[in-house]
Amino acid sequence: MKVEDKLIGVIELANILDLSVHTVRTYCSKSPQLLPPSVKIGRSVRFRLSDVNGFLASLDAGQMPVRRGPGRPRKR
């Protein structure tokens, strides 16, 4: 198996992206476009190291998708 084809878990991805494990798990279920493509094996979620490296390269190019929620309604 090549190093680029290695699968990493949520904890390793959180360490690489400098995010909390809870944030990565939330993004997996609610905003998967904010993370590299994932592979589901049973109930676990894994990420290819090559996809993570490509995702980080796209962040350097300034192509991070922007997530905007509905926000809080204003008082009138």
Side-chain angles (χ1 to χ4, degrees), residues 7-8 28-29 37-48:
L7 295 175
I8 61 171
C28 283
S29 62
S38 60
V39 176
K40 288 209 51 153
I41 301 174
R43 292 178 57 186
S44 64
V45 178
R46 302 283 185 232
F47 301 89
R48 284 189 184 90

Side-chain angles (χ1 to χ4, degrees), residues 7 19 24 28 31 43 51-52 58-59 69 73-74:
L7 295 175
L19 296 171
V24 172
C28 283
S31 301
R43 292 178 57 186
D51 290 341
V52 173
S58 73
L59 290 181
R74 292 184 172 186

Side-chain angles (χ1 to χ4, degrees), residues 6 11 25 36 44-45 49 54 56 63 66 68 73-75:
K6 181 181 176 186
I11 296 171
R25 287 189 175 135
S44 64
V45 178
L49 198 53
L56 291 174
Q63 298 176 358
V66 177
R68 296 189 182 210
R74 292 184 172 186
K75 293 183 180 179

